[in-house]
């Protein structure tokens, strides 16, 4: 026999209010920075091996290759080729030879870091996106399962990141080319500066227009099955429509935070290198960069994968499906 609810009886939960007839449901709210950071921490806690440890391991292996190359490549033979038989002053030869070795080591190390670091970051982004899709679908995000799904996607990922690099380089070349061409034609430094500023505005417009879609296409391609890189890029263009400036703001803040974190992690290694001096200073600096990248690269990949997932959900599609 039921009785009227008394003061001590908890109120029954009321059913959720229904949308009025003829009114479309409210669109999901865009993810803020606080929500993003909370999801990053949550992803690290729920699938740490697939979203953190594997990414750090990939970056560490690539960094070890960079360190090995910086230590064993024959820069001394390059000095001999350039300076060997042209000058007889032994003191000048030794000083100049040391400078050539340092320049060659720096140039080659920078090139290796750029290429290998880009490949490693791309793989970490793809791995993280694939692991999160498996986890969200209720499947175990085991390392073997993630790699099985990611392996056919690797070539497409590298093609997309190469296209991204080409777009960025071309956009950054616009201000320089305009400044040089206009300055040479007009013969005026003021005209060159003005042309450079106009070119800078054009470069920013190009970057904002094309880079968000290219960046989002990386997790889009990694998380989908049986589709080409072109399809992933077209889907990323649709996902980022109307969201470009918000995405640029999120990524700029992410880069700033990760840059500060990398500086804090790498500063002790730089201090040791300054104390040791000599050729080991560059090695300690590179080692600090490797350790910092092993920490920050998985975090950046998580941000990118979570942003892609949020865009896909707000557009009414699943992150792992291509329409």
């Amino acid at each position: 026999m039921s009785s009227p609810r008394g003061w001590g009886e908890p109120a029954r939960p009321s059913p959720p209010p229904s949308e009025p007839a003829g009114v479309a449901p409210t669109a999901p709210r865009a993810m803020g920075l606080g929500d993003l950071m909370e999801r990053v921490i949550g992803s690290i806690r729920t699938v740490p091996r697939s979203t953190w440890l594997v990414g750090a391991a990939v970056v560490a292996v690539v960094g070890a290759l960079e360190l090995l190359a910086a230590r064993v490549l024959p820069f001394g033979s390059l000095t001999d080729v350039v300076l060997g038989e042209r000058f007889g002053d032994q003191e000048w030869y030794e000083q100049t030879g040391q400078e050539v070795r340092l320049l060659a080591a720096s140039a080659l190390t920078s090139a290796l870091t750029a290429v290998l670091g880009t490949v490693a970051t791309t793989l970490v982004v793809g791995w993280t996106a694939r692991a999160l899709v498996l986890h969200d679908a209720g499947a175990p995000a085991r390392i073997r399962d993630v790699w099985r799904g990611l392996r056919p996607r690797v070539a497409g990922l590298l093609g997309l990141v190469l296209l991204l690099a080409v777009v960025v380089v071309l956009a950054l070349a616009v201000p320089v080319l305009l400044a040089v061409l206009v300055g040479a034609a007009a013969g005026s430094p003021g005209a060159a500066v003005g042309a450079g500023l106009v070119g800078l505005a054009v470069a920013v417009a190009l970057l904002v227009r094309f880079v968000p879609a290219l960046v989002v296409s990386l997790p889009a391609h990694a998380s989908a099955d049986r589709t080409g890189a072109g399809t992933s890029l077209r889907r990323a263009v649709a996902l980022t429509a109307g969201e470009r400036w918000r995405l640029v703001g999120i990524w700029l803040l992410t880069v700033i935070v990760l840059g500060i974190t990398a500086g804090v992690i790498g500063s002790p290694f730089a201090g040791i290198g300054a104390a040791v001096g000599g050729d080991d200073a560059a090695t300690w600096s590179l080692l600090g960069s490797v350790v910092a990248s092993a920490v920050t690269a998985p975090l950046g990949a998580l941000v990118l994968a979570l942003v892609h997932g949020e865009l896909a959900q707000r557009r009414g599609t699943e992150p792992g499906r291509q329409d």
Side-chain angles (χ1 to χ4, degrees):
M1 178 177 179
S2 60
S3 60
R5 182 173 61 87
W7 290 103
E9 182 179 350
R12 296 184 180 88
S14 58
S18 58
E19 295 288 344
V23 178
T26 305
R29 181 178 60 89
M31 180 173 55
L33 289 177
D35 301 327
L36 181 60
M37 292 300 103
E38 184 178 351
R39 293 188 186 185
V40 167
I41 296 173
S43 298
I44 295 174
R45 294 176 59 186
T46 53
V47 278
R49 287 188 302 174
S50 296
T51 60
W52 178 268
L53 295 180
V54 171
V58 170
V59 175
V61 169
V62 172
L65 294 177
E66 296 172 4
L67 283 170
L68 182 63
R71 296 295 295 177
V72 304
L73 287 175
F75 297 116
S77 61
L78 177 63
T79 305
D80 295 336
V81 171
V82 175
L83 303 173
E85 298 179 355
R86 295 189 179 183
F87 304 96
D89 189 340
Q90 184 65 25
E91 182 180 358
W92 184 91
Y93 170 80
E94 291 177 355
Q95 293 177 353
T96 309
Q98 183 179 6
E99 295 297 327
V100 170
R101 281 195 296 272
L102 290 175
L103 288 175
S106 176
L108 186 56
T109 300
S110 299
L112 286 173
T113 301
V115 174
L116 295 179
T118 300
V119 172
T121 303
T122 304
L123 293 177
V124 172
V125 169
W127 185 283
T128 303
R130 193 79 194 184
L132 289 182
V133 166
L134 287 177
H135 178 264
D136 293 341
R142 294 189 295 260
I143 292 177
R144 178 181 58 189
D145 299 328
V146 176
W147 174 243
R148 184 185 298 117
L150 180 64
R151 184 171 54 187
R153 314 276 90 197
V154 170
L157 286 173
L158 295 179
L160 289 171
V161 81
L162 178 60
L163 179 60
L164 173 62
V166 170
V167 169
V168 171
V169 170
L170 290 178
L172 295 180
V174 169
V176 178
L177 291 176
L178 280 179
V180 171
L181 294 177
V182 173
S188 170
V193 172
L197 293 177
V198 172
L200 182 61
V202 173
V204 171
L206 290 175
L207 292 175
V208 173
R209 176 66 179 84
F210 293 107
V211 168
L214 286 168
V215 171
V216 172
S217 68
L218 298 176
H221 186 62
S223 59
D225 292 323
R226 298 181 296 277
T227 55
T231 303
S232 301
L233 182 56
R234 287 192 296 272
R235 182 169 185 261
V237 170
L239 289 177
T240 56
E243 302 277 349
R244 297 186 186 95
W245 282 108
R246 185 176 77 92
L247 296 177
V248 169
I250 289 175
W251 292 332
L252 284 178
L253 288 175
T254 302
V255 168
I256 292 173
V257 171
L258 294 182
I260 295 174
T261 303
V264 171
I265 295 173
S267 57
F269 295 90
I272 294 174
V276 172
D279 294 337
D280 291 333
T283 301
W284 277 102
S285 178
L286 182 57
L287 179 61
S289 175
V290 170
V291 174
S293 297
V295 175
T296 57
L299 293 176
L302 268 174
V303 169
L304 184 54
L306 290 171
V307 166
H308 165 251
E310 182 248 359
L311 290 173
Q313 290 176 356
R314 288 177 56 214
R315 301 292 184 179
T317 62
E318 294 296 330
R321 190 184 72 200
Q322 302 255 11
D323 297 327

